[in-house]
Amino acid sequence: MTAETPGDRDKADAARAAAGDAEAFARLVARWQDRMLGLAWRFCRDRTMAEDMAQDAFVRAFRALPRYRSEAAFGTWLTAIALNTYRTALRDRPPVPVVPLLASHAPASAAEQALGLERRQQAELVRAQVLRLPDRYRTAMVLYYFQEQDVAETARILGLREGTLKGRLYRGRQLLERRLRALGITNL
Amino acid sequence: MDELDRILAAADPLVPSAGFANRVMTAVRTATAEEPPLPFPWARFALGIAACVAAAVSIAWFLSSVGAEAIGEELARVPGADAALLVAAVSVSVAEAFRLRARADF
């Protein structure tokens, strides 16, 4: 007897949901909402927009379930749908201004606070600059880091060859570093 | 991993707001309750294409059997036929332009 993996559970629920079982789809939403919301958040840095986009992605996925082929991992398939949904939603919108972090998250001591705040502001600035990259670089970079720098999985989701993805990551990074240097950030 | 990698890879989790999953399921149920989009009318489309092909074949057969020159000669005998054809063509063109404009406005 073999243990049922999360992937098996996803595929079984996807099959049930495709047959009209809403409860099965609710289980998929419960298992994947954090990931889908996390990816949306990385693309827009706005909670309301991220939730709207993630919800739209789930609705599109539900409609597309009859076309899901279980040879592919459910997560790969769902992430590809989410990615297309987010790119479409963000196509004509300017990047959302980055909201400063809350002061309550700051470290205790004044020195650490100053250092920590500076680093976090720099990190937010870097992330905001990633969102201002051309779409092909932005999508590749956001997804690559979201997928914990897994080139093979990122390429599968994007439908690209690994070499093409690596090229986009390299060029995107070059462009990002140039823009950061122009903003006076030279310590990265 | 350098500093830029570290910043970009840093997990910055966003916890779903209360009721997010319920809202998703409500949206899914609403979307599935909506009428599906109308399918493209392939049968009518095929019939229309067949009718156009039949008309084109009929006209070609008619012209080849009667002769286009003969038709031109017959028309030339009718007084004012050129002008009448010209007026008819202009009228049809103007009417079609108005029809297309009305559809665009609608």
Side-chain angles (χ1 to χ4, degrees), chain A residues 57-81:
Chain A
F58 277 120
V59 171
R60 286 192 191 194
F62 185 80
R63 283 181 165 151
L65 271 174
R67 296 193 297 277
Y68 168 59
R69 299 285 169 265
S70 57
E71 299 88 54
F74 179 78
T76 305
W77 179 81
L78 180 63
T79 307
I81 288 181

Short mmCIF file of all heavy atoms in Angstrom, two decimals, chain A residues 57-81:
data_model
loop_
_atom_site.label_atom_id
_atom_site.label_comp_id
_atom_site.label_asym_id
_atom_site.label_seq_id
_atom_site.Cartn_x
_atom_site.Cartn_y
_atom_site.Cartn_z
N ALA A 57 -8.06 34.02 -10.41
CA ALA A 57 -7.27 32.87 -10.87
C ALA A 57 -7.98 31.56 -10.51
O ALA A 57 -8.03 30.62 -11.32
CB ALA A 57 -5.88 32.90 -10.26
N PHE A 58 -8.52 31.47 -9.31
CA PHE A 58 -9.24 30.25 -8.91
C PHE A 58 -10.49 30.05 -9.77
O PHE A 58 -10.80 28.91 -10.16
CB PHE A 58 -9.63 30.32 -7.43
CG PHE A 58 -8.52 29.91 -6.50
CD1 PHE A 58 -8.02 30.79 -5.56
CD2 PHE A 58 -7.97 28.64 -6.56
CE1 PHE A 58 -7.00 30.42 -4.70
CE2 PHE A 58 -6.94 28.26 -5.70
CZ PHE A 58 -6.45 29.15 -4.77
N VAL A 59 -11.20 31.12 -10.07
CA VAL A 59 -12.40 30.99 -10.91
C VAL A 59 -12.00 30.48 -12.30
O VAL A 59 -12.63 29.57 -12.85
CB VAL A 59 -13.15 32.34 -11.01
CG1 VAL A 59 -14.27 32.26 -12.05
CG2 VAL A 59 -13.73 32.73 -9.66
N ARG A 60 -10.94 31.06 -12.84
CA ARG A 60 -10.48 30.60 -14.16
C ARG A 60 -10.03 29.14 -14.12
O ARG A 60 -10.26 28.39 -15.05
CB ARG A 60 -9.32 31.48 -14.65
CG ARG A 60 -9.77 32.84 -15.08
CD ARG A 60 -8.64 33.53 -15.80
NE ARG A 60 -8.93 34.93 -16.00
CZ ARG A 60 -8.26 35.70 -16.83
NH1 ARG A 60 -7.28 35.21 -17.53
NH2 ARG A 60 -8.58 36.97 -16.97
N ALA A 61 -9.37 28.79 -13.03
CA ALA A 61 -8.91 27.40 -12.91
C ALA A 61 -10.10 26.46 -12.85
O ALA A 61 -10.09 25.39 -13.47
CB ALA A 61 -8.05 27.25 -11.66
N PHE A 62 -11.13 26.85 -12.11
CA PHE A 62 -12.31 25.98 -12.01
C PHE A 62 -12.93 25.76 -13.39
O PHE A 62 -13.32 24.65 -13.75
CB PHE A 62 -13.33 26.60 -11.05
CG PHE A 62 -14.52 25.71 -10.81
CD1 PHE A 62 -14.43 24.66 -9.91
CD2 PHE A 62 -15.71 25.90 -11.48
CE1 PHE A 62 -15.51 23.82 -9.69
CE2 PHE A 62 -16.80 25.07 -11.27
CZ PHE A 62 -16.70 24.03 -10.37
N ARG A 63 -13.02 26.85 -14.16
CA ARG A 63 -13.59 26.74 -15.51
C ARG A 63 -12.73 25.87 -16.41
O ARG A 63 -13.22 25.21 -17.32
CB ARG A 63 -13.75 28.12 -16.13
CG ARG A 63 -14.93 28.88 -15.59
CD ARG A 63 -15.03 30.21 -16.27
NE ARG A 63 -16.32 30.83 -16.05
CZ ARG A 63 -16.52 32.14 -16.03
NH1 ARG A 63 -15.52 32.95 -16.23
NH2 ARG A 63 -17.71 32.63 -15.84
N ALA A 64 -11.42 25.92 -16.17
CA ALA A 64 -10.49 25.19 -17.04
C ALA A 64 -10.26 23.75 -16.59
O ALA A 64 -9.57 23.01 -17.28
CB ALA A 64 -9.15 25.94 -17.11
N LEU A 65 -10.81 23.37 -15.46
CA LEU A 65 -10.54 22.02 -14.92
C LEU A 65 -10.82 20.88 -15.91
O LEU A 65 -10.04 19.91 -15.95
CB LEU A 65 -11.36 21.79 -13.64
CG LEU A 65 -10.67 22.22 -12.34
CD1 LEU A 65 -11.63 22.06 -11.18
CD2 LEU A 65 -9.41 21.40 -12.10
N PRO A 66 -11.88 20.97 -16.71
CA PRO A 66 -12.10 19.87 -17.66
C PRO A 66 -10.94 19.67 -18.64
O PRO A 66 -10.78 18.60 -19.22
CB PRO A 66 -13.38 20.29 -18.40
CG PRO A 66 -14.09 21.18 -17.43
CD PRO A 66 -13.01 21.91 -16.71
N ARG A 67 -10.12 20.70 -18.80
CA ARG A 67 -8.98 20.58 -19.73
C ARG A 67 -7.69 20.21 -19.02
O ARG A 67 -6.65 20.09 -19.66
CB ARG A 67 -8.78 21.91 -20.48
CG ARG A 67 -9.95 22.28 -21.38
CD ARG A 67 -9.58 23.42 -22.33
NE ARG A 67 -9.27 24.64 -21.62
CZ ARG A 67 -10.17 25.51 -21.18
NH1 ARG A 67 -11.45 25.28 -21.37
NH2 ARG A 67 -9.80 26.61 -20.56
N TYR A 68 -7.76 20.05 -17.70
CA TYR A 68 -6.55 19.69 -16.94
C TYR A 68 -6.18 18.23 -17.21
O TYR A 68 -7.00 17.33 -17.09
CB TYR A 68 -6.79 19.92 -15.44
CG TYR A 68 -5.72 19.31 -14.56
CD1 TYR A 68 -4.38 19.70 -14.68
CD2 TYR A 68 -6.04 18.37 -13.60
CE1 TYR A 68 -3.40 19.14 -13.88
CE2 TYR A 68 -5.07 17.81 -12.79
CZ TYR A 68 -3.75 18.20 -12.94
OH TYR A 68 -2.78 17.64 -12.15
N ARG A 69 -4.93 18.03 -17.59
CA ARG A 69 -4.43 16.67 -17.83
C ARG A 69 -3.56 16.28 -16.65
O ARG A 69 -2.59 16.98 -16.33
CB ARG A 69 -3.59 16.62 -19.12
CG ARG A 69 -4.37 17.00 -20.37
CD ARG A 69 -5.30 15.87 -20.79
NE ARG A 69 -6.23 16.29 -21.83
CZ ARG A 69 -7.47 16.73 -21.60
NH1 ARG A 69 -7.93 16.83 -20.38
NH2 ARG A 69 -8.25 17.06 -22.60
N SER A 70 -3.88 15.18 -16.03
CA SER A 70 -3.24 14.85 -14.75
C SER A 70 -1.78 14.39 -14.91
O SER A 70 -1.13 14.10 -13.92
CB SER A 70 -4.04 13.78 -14.03
OG SER A 70 -4.18 12.65 -14.84
N GLU A 71 -1.26 14.36 -16.15
CA GLU A 71 0.18 14.05 -16.29
C GLU A 71 1.00 15.18 -15.68
O GLU A 71 2.11 14.96 -15.18
CB GLU A 71 0.59 13.91 -17.77
CG GLU A 71 -0.12 12.80 -18.53
CD GLU A 71 -1.41 13.28 -19.15
OE1 GLU A 71 -1.38 14.27 -19.88
OE2 GLU A 71 -2.45 12.66 -18.88
N ALA A 72 0.47 16.41 -15.77
CA ALA A 72 1.18 17.56 -15.18
C ALA A 72 0.80 17.69 -13.71
O ALA A 72 -0.31 17.34 -13.32
CB ALA A 72 0.80 18.83 -15.92
N ALA A 73 1.73 18.20 -12.91
CA ALA A 73 1.42 18.44 -11.50
C ALA A 73 0.35 19.52 -11.42
O ALA A 73 0.38 20.50 -12.18
CB ALA A 73 2.68 18.89 -10.77
N PHE A 74 -0.59 19.34 -10.51
CA PHE A 74 -1.68 20.31 -10.38
C PHE A 74 -1.12 21.70 -10.06
O PHE A 74 -1.59 22.70 -10.60
CB PHE A 74 -2.65 19.86 -9.29
CG PHE A 74 -3.79 20.82 -9.09
CD1 PHE A 74 -4.85 20.84 -9.98
CD2 PHE A 74 -3.78 21.72 -8.04
CE1 PHE A 74 -5.89 21.74 -9.81
CE2 PHE A 74 -4.81 22.62 -7.87
CZ PHE A 74 -5.87 22.63 -8.75
N GLY A 75 -0.10 21.74 -9.20
CA GLY A 75 0.47 23.03 -8.81
C GLY A 75 1.08 23.77 -9.99
O GLY A 75 0.93 24.99 -10.11
N THR A 76 1.73 23.05 -10.87
CA THR A 76 2.32 23.67 -12.06
C THR A 76 1.22 24.26 -12.94
O THR A 76 1.32 25.40 -13.41
CB THR A 76 3.11 22.62 -12.87
OG1 THR A 76 4.07 22.02 -12.01
CG2 THR A 76 3.80 23.23 -14.06
N TRP A 77 0.19 23.46 -13.13
CA TRP A 77 -0.95 23.89 -13.97
C TRP A 77 -1.64 25.10 -13.36
O TRP A 77 -1.91 26.10 -14.05
CB TRP A 77 -1.91 22.71 -14.11
CG TRP A 77 -3.13 22.96 -14.90
CD1 TRP A 77 -3.26 22.95 -16.26
CD2 TRP A 77 -4.44 23.26 -14.39
NE1 TRP A 77 -4.55 23.22 -16.62
CE2 TRP A 77 -5.30 23.41 -15.49
CE3 TRP A 77 -4.96 23.39 -13.11
CZ2 TRP A 77 -6.66 23.69 -15.34
CZ3 TRP A 77 -6.30 23.68 -12.96
CH2 TRP A 77 -7.14 23.83 -14.07
N LEU A 78 -1.92 25.05 -12.06
CA LEU A 78 -2.62 26.15 -11.39
C LEU A 78 -1.76 27.42 -11.39
O LEU A 78 -2.28 28.52 -11.62
CB LEU A 78 -2.96 25.74 -9.95
CG LEU A 78 -3.70 26.78 -9.11
CD1 LEU A 78 -5.07 27.08 -9.72
CD2 LEU A 78 -3.86 26.30 -7.67
N THR A 79 -0.48 27.27 -11.16
CA THR A 79 0.40 28.44 -11.13
C THR A 79 0.47 29.10 -12.51
O THR A 79 0.52 30.33 -12.62
CB THR A 79 1.82 28.05 -10.65
OG1 THR A 79 1.70 27.37 -9.40
CG2 THR A 79 2.69 29.27 -10.45
N ALA A 80 0.47 28.27 -13.55
CA ALA A 80 0.49 28.85 -14.91
C ALA A 80 -0.78 29.65 -15.17
O ALA A 80 -0.72 30.75 -15.75
CB ALA A 80 0.64 27.73 -15.95
N ILE A 81 -1.91 29.13 -14.73
CA ILE A 81 -3.18 29.88 -14.90
C ILE A 81 -3.13 31.18 -14.09
O ILE A 81 -3.50 32.25 -14.57
CB ILE A 81 -4.37 29.01 -14.46
CG1 ILE A 81 -4.61 27.92 -15.50
CG2 ILE A 81 -5.63 29.86 -14.27
CD1 ILE A 81 -5.77 27.01 -15.19
#
